[in-house]
Amino acid sequence: EAGVTQFPSHSVIEKGQTVTLRCDPISGHDNLYWYRRVMGKEIKFLLHFVKESKQDESGMPNNRFLAERTGGTYSTLKVQPAELEDSGVYFCASSQGWAGEAFFGQGTRLTVV
Amino acid sequence: RKEVEQDPGPFNVPEGATVAFNCTYSNSASQSFFWYRQDCRKEPKLLMSVYSSGNEDGRFTAQLNRASQYISLLIRDSKLSDSATYLCAALSGGSYIPTFGRGTSLIVHP
């Protein structure tokens, strides 16, 4: 069974540019989460989808971040325009039901220069 | 106060040693807990779930103390391959969102 996959694995962009991260959850997992880890800090929640609906986006830093989940399948996270402080590793995770045993993708390491 | 707190370490132990980490949580409504293992530059991987008093899987034992609001992870007979960061996560009843601690770094040396 395929796990959670994320693309790209690395991205280096200049301040002011736009970047779109993609996540393909485990098939059948209705819950999809985006997290971010800034160096030396804990993994912080960004938002949660249940199928195609945003259940909770309280962790989104600001309106430069836009997440979508088309048809309840894959999800994208767009950062526009990117700022230096957006650098970090963006993890996507998915889970089945409410139990919260989330499975993580390998992450996208974003560097804004 | 952070919702989930962990001693970042590093814990530096010899092979074969027994080591234990604690993770404290502030939300008394938390009902489910998880230990994840994260290797350098890799994604967190679920190691163990804790729903009641504890769980055991081989050399790994997790225990939950609701009165003191902490969970622990005990690793017996440490292996070099156990070197990693161990993340604790807590899930409140009715919430779908695990909250993570910063992780505890473990280094097992020969």
Side-chain angles (χ1 to χ4, degrees):
Chain A
E1 180 185 341
V4 179
T5 57
Q6 291 185 246
F7 183 83
S9 56
H10 294 81
S11 180
V12 180
I13 61 171
E14 292 183 350
K15 177 182 170 180
Q17 288 187 320
T18 297
V19 63
T20 300
L21 315 180
R22 173 170 170 144
C23 169
D24 287 78
I26 292 172
S27 177
H29 281 192
D30 288 340
N31 293 291
L32 186 150
Y33 314 84
W34 282 98
Y35 285 85
R36 177 173 71 176
R37 185 164 197 169
V38 173
M39 187 177 291
K41 304 282 188 181
E42 67 271 20
I43 294 175
K44 285 236 172 177
F45 166 76
L46 297 179
L47 88 159
H48 168 222
F49 284 98
V50 177
K51 297 184 181 177
E52 69 276 9
S53 300
K54 289 178 189 173
Q55 188 76 12
D56 184 339
E57 51 184 328
S58 61
M60 294 286 260
N62 50 62
N63 59 10
R64 295 185 293 103
F65 289 74
L66 175 64
E68 294 178 327
R69 190 177 181 192
T70 307
T73 56
Y74 70 92
S75 175
T76 58
L77 178 64
K78 181 191 284 189
V79 185
Q80 179 184 29
E83 298 289 344
L84 298 178
E85 65 264 24
D86 299 334
S87 295
V89 182
Y90 289 77
F91 287 107
C92 174
S94 70
S95 70
Q96 194 170 41
W98 69 273
E101 293 185 352
F103 295 86
F104 281 77
Q106 81 280 13
T108 294
R109 184 172 297 276
L110 175 66
T111 304
V112 183
V113 297
Chain B
R1 182 184 173 189
K2 292 187 185 300
E3 280 195 53
V4 178
E5 292 204 67
Q6 296 181 252
D7 180 346
F11 285 64
N12 211 315
V13 302
E15 265 187 296
T18 295
V19 61
F21 319 129
N22 278 350
C23 165
T24 59
Y25 60 95
S26 61
N27 187 347
S28 59
S30 297
Q31 294 187 357
S32 306
F33 306 88
F34 309 90
W35 282 103
Y36 284 81
R37 172 198 168 121
Q38 185 174 24
D39 292 289
C40 187
R41 293 184 171 263
K42 299 284 189 181
E43 74 274 21
K45 290 189 177 177
L46 184 65
L47 179 66
M48 192 172 288
S49 306
V50 185
Y51 297 109
S52 55
S53 60
N55 196 1
E56 184 171 333
D57 183 5
R59 297 183 294 108
F60 298 83
T61 301
Q63 289 194 315
L64 169 62
N65 185 317
R66 289 194 185 275
S68 301
Q69 293 187 199
Y70 74 85
I71 59 170
S72 62
L73 178 67
L74 180 81
I75 305 175
R76 289 180 295 276
D77 187 23
S78 299
K79 311 290 183 192
L80 296 177
S81 56
D82 293 335
S83 299
T85 296
Y86 291 83
L87 301 165
C88 168
L91 192 68
S92 296
S95 168
Y96 292 84
I97 302 163
T99 300
F100 285 85
R102 236 176 107 176
T104 297
S105 175
L106 171 66
I107 301 170
V108 181
H109 59 83

